[in-house]
Structures are given as structure tokens and as C-alpha cells.
Amino acid sequence: MKTEYSDKSTLSSCFESVRAQGRIALMPFFMAGDPDLSTSAKILLSLQESGADIIELGIPYSDPLADGPVIQASAARALKSGTTPSSVLEMLNNLREKITIPIVLFTYSNPLLHLGMERFCDEAARAGASGLVVPDLPLEEAEKLSSIASKRHLDLVLLVAPTTPLQRMQRITENSRGFTYLVSVTGVTGERAQMEARVGSLVEQLKRLSPNPIAVGFGISGPEQVSQVRSWGGDGAIVGSALVKRIASASPGREVEEAGRFCKELVKST
Amino acid sequence: MASIGFQKINEEDLAIRARPNSLGRYGIYGGQYVPETLMPALAELEEAAVEAWKDHSFVDELNRLLHSYVGRATPLYEAERLTEHYRRADGGPRIWLKREDLNHTGAHKINNALGQALLALRMGKTRIIAETGAGQHGVATATVCARFGLECVVYMGEEDMKRQALNVFRMRLLGAKVQPVTAGTATLKDATSEAIRDWVTNVESTHYILGSVAGPHPYPMLVRDFHAVIGAEAKKQCHEAFGRLPDVLIACVGGGSNAMGLFHPFVEEQSVRMIGVEAAGEGVGTSRHAATITEGSVGVLHGAMSLLLQDDEGQVQEAHSISAGLDYPGVGPEHSYLRDLGRAEYFSVTDDDALTALQLVSQLEGIIPALETAHAFAWLEELCPTLSQGTEIVINCSGRGDKDVNTVAQRIGVHL
């Protein structure tokens, strides 16, 4: 992590200020374009108003390998509604004046590489994004993108999994920008009734390896698990499928309200 | 496209250490674009494979089973009537078939399934998963799992399950669970995605027997090396049959495993032309084809960078082919590399061309090839008129067509 003021990452500053308030960051995830981009814009603002600290915004992809059925279906609906990487970034750009919290874009390698790493990062930075999560871009493939992104003050966030050996964990967390994304399950995204107990010790290990904030994601389905992340010493909780499911099952026109309501409920446990 | 056989390619680029290099790449292609959860398993697999190939007991066991269980070596058969069919007044090429259709389970796929099952046993994995398109790789995997008492789950697109009902039943008979995949186009692409998701979830107990030279490193290398027995035998058999290297190799290419298996031992022999034939479906001018190399662009699918059928936004496109085994929008990274170097040539033939070739080979040689394989035969129509007397062609007769008779009957309007 950089220490010079000018290079200070928006994401790490955000974690610092949340920590100073004695909380952990609530980081909701949802898919842009499901059901459509104008609703997504309203959901973004509603989550912000409802106390989200950072929003992880999904860019839909046809073959999302790391996602379970809920987010797969959401991506399929978003693609069907005509959502493209550029249209997501344009929507975000239009909200620039209104969004005050950091936005992290979640996208797979192919749409990003197809647009071109430089162009994607240029457009993402212009739209006001603070970071990128690319779930199928492990450490070995990430170096080039990370350097292109950081030149535009975008943090490329790397992921650590329960299967990651200790030495590798160290290299990942040293190279991850903004925060380290701890995948809490050996598996794809989706709600789990309970979090694996070993997540607690993974958080502890990561804490010892680096001062990078740790956000825990995959499988967090409600307030209880958000509290658990907090008690384990994590710095942020990412809630994806549980929110996506609520948006998808809300009656048409109620998606925004439903997202905000769930977010408020989660914030209480941070 | 003109013959490029005389253009000398830098030997360094064709050397085995460049295919792949130390980063698991073939030039710009290959790599490991997978969730972090799988990275340790890929490292473990690569290490296990390297050690296994050095271990005489592993190699002996593999060879013993390839001989006594699979039925290798497969013959190199001189297709005299097919040769005659393409003979002109001034002569023409001689056509040889590498009879992979004679392997146990009826296709080349078992070479790799057997090798990977032995590796899984070595790594102490007790559960096996696989993806399948035509069902040949699924059947091969179910077969070796039965042979070694391993639990087996095969992911198969629902659409393919309809097209290949016979193979679905064969897999179940062999004790495997066939898991229908309904996502996306419900074909091989989606079955592969679902198999990868299973592996992400169960990686600690499970080995994924990937069925093509695709996927993240080390799979393209691993699968190629288990199929390289095809090319190694063919090379030796050519020497025995006509005392020299062949002039042209032909194989069909979906993901590209049978082609890579045949090509591999010849890649550094630059006098040998290598031709891969893709599925043009209803025609490359339509949106319904699977001609990834001839029509695709660089992208990432299922863990590897390679050529890919994708739209303007980088979304993976549906592929279409009468043959379920070629119905895939990606291709193995080494093929993309060999194409870029100009070392191998790639063309495509339509569903109709393949159907015609299937009937021709059946009637001239008494061999019903798989629809996949029929694509390789179909290219003879274009190729043979350009070749002179004395040219020796080896076609990889990669699978038998019993599984396809219903599809063929339906397409030519016969009610069974």
C-alpha cells in the first residue's frame, strides 16, 4: 500500500474512516442492468442512502465461472436487457455528481480484455469507479492490469480463497490494492446458512501478513454473518446473492425500495 | 489459402519448451484465468503430472492399460477405395486412416480419460467430474471410473443429452451420474462452466478430467500429452508402411484434442503439413457455426486465452454444429498458437459437407465415422485435387459414428 498522500487509495481511506467509527464496511453487490440500467442507477443511490460504505457493481458476463445460480441468472437477465460494459460505465458516469461512496466494479476477464485494459480502466476511472474485482484473474495474470489500473487511481483487488496456501496468501495480499477480498467458501457465490469456522482463522492469518483491510465475501446471507465477520476482525462484509435475490423477487417497481430496506437491516450489524 | 509448408518457422517457437513456456503460455495464448480457489489444485496437478511422467511405474501402468484395456496400438489403415475415389488421371494422394475409432469406447477420448484417472489415483482424489458434448468424453470418463471404482459425475448440456441419448444411457449403465445443464445454450460450453463450478466447490476431494486441450494450464498440455500416443504411433507406422514421414495430417477441431494428439509429435517436423478442420455449421457467413479459429478473435474462455467466438462486447457467442463434439465457441490455446505461427492450417466445412462425407466413407470403406470425424474427411474434397501423386495423407479417424446414426437418419429424412 502506498503511503504518499497523492496516491492514497479511495478504498483504503474508506476502510480507515469506517474503522475509526468502530464499524466494519458494508459492501453490497448487485448486477448492473438487472432488471434494467435505470433501475440499477436508483438502486445504487438507494444503497448509498441506506448506509452502504462501498458498492460492488457487477458487469454482466455470459459465462460467470465463479458465480452460483442466483448471480448467473441475474447476469443472464442483465444481458437480455441489453446491458454492456460500456453502458454500465456510462450509467455510472451519469451518477458521478450524486455518488459519494467508493464503487468497485466486478467483471470477468473477457469483457474487460475485449474492451482493452487501458480503455476499460480509462472509462472506469472517468465514471468515478475506485476499484476492480476480476474473479477469474489470479495473481499470476494480474500484474499488467494492476499497473494499468493504478496509474488511473483504480485499485485492482485480488482474492484469497480458503484453499490458498500461506506463502501464496502473503504474495496476494501484498499485491492486492485497496483491500484483500477473502472468499469465505470453497465454492461459487451464493447464500450459505452458515459460514465455515475456518474463515475466522483465515482472517487472523491475513491480518498477520499485511495491514491491507480484509473484506469477506461469498456466502454472506444476512445480518448474523455480517456480525460474524466483524467479530472475526474483518474490515468489510460483501453481501451479493442475498441482495440480488431480493431485488429479483421484488415485485416490479419495488426493487429499489427492497434493496434499500435490506441494506439498512445489514448496516445495523456492522 | 496457399500452402504454407515451405515457409520455415523459427525452431525455437516450435520447441517443446515453448509449448507451453514456463508461464503456461503458448505465445500469447493459454494461461490460467480461473478463480483463486483452483490455483493450488492446478499447481498440484501440474506437479503430479511432471512427476508421473518421470515415474517408470506410472508410464508402464499407463502403457499396459492402453494396450490391454484400450486396445492400442490402433492400426494405420490404407483407405484404398477412398484413395481411388480422389484419384485423377495424373494421380493423386494416398489416404491413410489412424483408426482411433477402434479404441475401447469408440473414440480417442479414452487415451486422456485413462491417463487422468491414473493421475487422480496418484493424487488420492476419489471423486471425478467431467464435461461432455457428444458424450464420447463422458463415456470414456465413466468407463475408466468404473474400471478404478471412482465416483463419477458428468456434466452435459440438456440439448446434447437429447441429441446423444444413447451415450447418456451408456454413461448411466457404467455407473456415472449424468448431470443435465440447462444454463445458457445447454451445450458443451455450459457443461464445461458447470463442471468448473463443481470443481471450485469440491476441489479438495475431486479431480476434474477435462476432455479437451482447452482450459487453464496445465490442462492443454496434460491432455495433449496423453493423446500424443496417436501421433507417436502414426509416425512409427508411417515409417513401416512407406518408409518416411507423412506429407499431410488432417483432423477435426472442436476443442482440438484429437488433432493436437496427432499433430504433437510432428510439430517440429516442418515438412509435414498439419490441417485442422472446424465445423462451419450452416455456413461461416451465417451466425450458426463453430468455426472458432477461422472466424473468432482473441479472448478468454474456461480459463485460457485463445481464439473465441464472441460478440462486440466480449460476450461468448453460441456455437452451432450438427456434431455435438464440435459445438464449442472456444479452441485449445496451442491451436491458436500454431495458427498464428503458420505452422498449422485451419479450415471449416459445413454440416452438409460432413453429412456427405460420413456417407461417402461409410460406403467406400465400410467405416461409419463420427460426425465430428466426418468434418476431417469432408476437407478431402478441397484438398485432394491440389495434391500430387505420391502425397501421403494421414487422417485421424477419431471416433466411430454409431452414436450419430439417429441424427444422420433424421437429417437425411429417414424415419427409424
Side-chain angles (χ1 to χ4, degrees):
Chain A
M1 297 238 305
K2 304 283 176 61
T3 45
E4 309 103 81
Y5 181 70
S6 61
D7 272 357
K8 186 86 186 167
S9 130
T10 315
L11 288 169
S12 32
S13 310
C14 173
F15 280 104
E16 267 173 37
S17 88
V18 169
R19 202 180 291 167
Q21 296 164 32
R23 294 192 298 118
I24 64 167
L26 181 70
M27 307 166 67
F29 163 94
F30 74 102
M31 186 63 69
D34 175 25
D36 54 62
L37 280 174
S38 66
T39 309
S40 298
K42 290 179 199 147
I43 293 174
L44 273 171
L45 297 173
S46 161
L47 293 171
Q48 173 172 277
E49 262 168 46
S50 306
D53 296 291
I54 295 168
I55 296 172
E56 204 185 322
L57 183 65
I59 295 177
Y61 173 53
S62 56
D63 296 79
L65 283 186
D67 285 306
V70 171
I71 296 179
Q72 279 178 54
S74 183
R77 287 190 299 269
L79 288 174
K80 217 171 168 193
S81 80
T83 312
T84 66
S86 299
S87 68
V88 174
L89 295 173
E90 192 192 324
M91 177 271 289
L92 204 53
N93 197 24
N94 292 338
L95 290 181
R96 256 201 102 145
E97 304 297 307
K98 295 180 185 160
I99 297 216
T100 55
I101 60 173
I103 305 291
V104 174
L105 297 169
F106 178 100
T107 176
Y108 284 83
S109 297
N110 198 54
L112 190 157
L113 295 175
H114 193 76
L115 200 60
M117 287 190 256
E118 270 102 2
R119 192 171 150 202
F120 185 94
C121 291
D122 277 342
E123 290 187 15
R126 197 177 316 129
S130 302
L132 300 175
V133 173
V134 188
D136 61 347
L137 200 73
L139 178 65
E140 285 73 5
E141 312 288 354
E143 196 184 326
K144 192 172 173 197
L145 178 63
S146 189
S147 115
I148 290 170
S150 64
K151 280 187 194 124
R152 290 150 178 89
H153 303 283
L154 277 172
D155 289 328
L156 178 64
V157 178
L158 301 182
L159 297 91
V160 163
T163 52
T164 308
L166 193 65
Q167 274 194 332
R168 182 175 169 82
M169 211 180 252
Q170 171 130 36
R171 285 195 292 137
I172 293 173
T173 194
E174 276 167 5
N175 286 285
S176 187
R177 305 270 164 198
F179 64 94
T180 304
Y181 191 134
L182 173 60
V183 174
S184 71
V185 295
T186 306
V188 293
T189 58
E191 294 175 77
R192 309 300 199 273
Q194 272 189 321
M195 296 232 283
E196 294 175 37
R198 63 175 165 177
V199 180
S201 58
L202 290 171
V203 173
E204 222 170 88
Q205 269 174 358
L206 282 169
K207 286 265 156 193
R208 275 201 299 269
L209 294 174
S210 137
N212 228 359
I214 298 152
V216 181
F218 284 38
I220 298 187
S221 50
E224 253 172 62
Q225 284 133 329
V226 174
S227 313
Q228 196 149 36
V229 171
R230 184 191 151 94
S231 70
W232 280 329
D235 300 283
I238 302 164
V239 184
S241 296
L243 173 62
V244 170
K245 203 170 83 181
R246 277 168 179 79
I247 294 171
S249 58
S251 40
R254 304 289 294 266
E255 296 93 349
V256 179
E257 189 186 329
E258 188 57 31
R261 196 195 55 72
F262 185 51
C263 185
K264 277 181 195 152
E265 194 185 318
L266 294 169
V267 163
K268 290 181 197 151
S269 303
T270 60
Chain B
M1 191 166 158
S3 165
I4 48 178
F6 299 104
Q7 202 179 309
K8 186 90 172 152
I9 295 156
N10 185 352
E11 283 171 11
E12 278 299 302
D13 292 335
L14 298 180
I16 188 78
R17 64 184 165 278
R19 298 181 293 122
N21 64 20
S22 59
L23 300 172
R25 291 206 173 247
Y26 307 78
I28 64 164
Y29 303 111
Q32 297 176 309
Y33 297 85
V34 292
E36 168 61 23
T37 309
L38 294 181
M39 292 300 284
L42 293 173
E44 181 196 3
L45 180 59
E46 183 175 5
E47 202 175 306
V50 168
E51 276 174 19
W53 283 116
K54 285 188 205 150
D55 179 350
H56 291 297
S57 68
F58 176 85
V59 177
D60 289 349
E61 174 77 347
L62 177 63
N63 287 337
R64 187 179 67 79
L65 288 165
L66 282 174
H67 175 68
S68 63
Y69 189 63
V70 176
R72 301 205 73 93
T74 59
L76 182 72
Y77 162 75
E78 184 181 349
E80 290 180 45
R81 295 193 67 216
L82 199 59
T83 297
E84 192 52 40
H85 178 79
Y86 287 111
R87 187 186 305 281
R88 307 173 306 265
D90 62 339
R94 180 156 62 159
I95 300 163
W96 301 80
L97 312 188
K98 180 59 178 161
R99 295 292 308 276
E100 291 300 297
D101 58 317
L102 294 178
N103 283 325
H104 180 38
T105 72
H108 71 291
K109 291 288 186 188
I110 198 162
N111 301 325
N112 166 56
L114 175 65
Q116 286 202 48
L118 288 175
L119 263 187
L121 289 170
R122 239 178 124 84
M123 292 188 293
K125 308 272 181 170
T126 54
R127 181 174 175 269
I128 298 294
I129 55 169
E131 83 295 336
T132 199
Q136 290 305 100
H137 173 58
V139 167
T141 303
T143 298
V144 296
C145 286
R147 169 66 182 73
F148 296 111
L150 292 163
E151 183 190 346
C152 179
V153 178
V154 179
Y155 287 91
M156 189 168 187
E158 209 167 46
E159 186 59 32
D160 289 339
M161 286 178 73
K162 273 185 236 155
R163 288 196 281 191
Q164 302 289 345
L166 183 65
N167 272 343
V168 173
F169 182 66
R170 287 167 84 194
M171 286 184 267
R172 289 181 172 151
L173 206 53
L174 290 159
K177 183 178 169 203
V178 182
Q179 187 69 46
V181 177
T182 53
T185 53
T187 59
L188 181 55
K189 163 180 92 95
D190 308 287
T192 307
S193 295
E194 209 48 38
I196 294 175
R197 290 186 190 109
D198 179 314
W199 203 33
V200 172
T201 308
N202 301 297
V203 63
E204 283 151 312
S205 68
T206 299
H207 174 63
Y208 175 22
I209 300 190
L210 208 154
S212 196
V213 287
H217 177 69
Y219 279 107
M221 174 181 83
L222 186 71
V223 177
R224 175 198 71 194
D225 289 348
F226 284 130
H227 282 308
V229 64
I230 303 171
E233 284 175 9
K235 204 173 194 179
K236 188 162 159 269
Q237 289 163 329
C238 286
H239 276 283
E240 286 162 5
F242 48 86
R244 61 178 182 85
L245 289 169
D247 299 297
V248 184
L249 306 175
I250 309 181
C252 64
V253 175
S257 66
N258 89 77
M260 215 51 245
L262 176 64
F263 293 175
H264 183 58
F266 295 95
V267 168
E268 292 177 79
E269 310 277 8
Q270 293 196 45
S271 68
V272 182
R273 273 179 81 183
M274 307 193 304
I275 297 176
V277 185
E278 298 192 298
E282 294 174 13
V284 289
T286 73
S287 61
R288 295 176 62 82
H289 64 80
T292 307
I293 298 186
T294 41
E295 296 293 309
S297 57
V298 179
V300 169
L301 178 65
H302 297 143
M305 182 172 284
S306 191
L307 292 164
L308 177 64
L309 295 177
Q310 56 188 329
D311 69 13
D312 294 342
E313 303 292 341
Q315 308 294 350
V316 182
Q317 276 177 323
E318 289 182 33
H320 288 280
S321 168
I322 188 172
S323 126
L326 303 182
D327 201 347
Y328 185 63
V331 67
E334 191 166 0
H335 284 295
S336 298
Y337 179 62
L338 293 175
R339 197 283 307 250
D340 281 7
L341 288 175
R343 178 64 191 93
E345 305 156 57
Y346 297 87
F347 303 98
S348 62
V349 301
T350 63
D351 289 349
D352 289 342
D353 296 337
L355 275 167
T356 306
L358 184 144
Q359 294 167 80
L360 182 75
V361 176
S362 297
Q363 285 157 25
L364 288 180
E365 295 294 345
I367 295 170
I368 304 175
L371 272 170
E372 290 77 13
T373 312
H375 286 71
F377 282 108
W379 188 248
L380 291 172
E381 290 285 327
E382 298 286 329
L383 182 70
C384 289
T386 69
L387 298 178
S388 56
Q389 170 70 18
T391 306
E392 306 282 3
I393 301 179
V394 175
I395 294 196
N396 196 354
C397 188
S398 55
R400 69 176 182 225
D402 307 49
K403 69 182 175 59
D404 294 316
V405 291
N406 281 318
T407 309
V408 174
Q410 203 180 1
R411 279 294 289 260
I412 60 180
V414 176
H415 188 73
L416 294 181

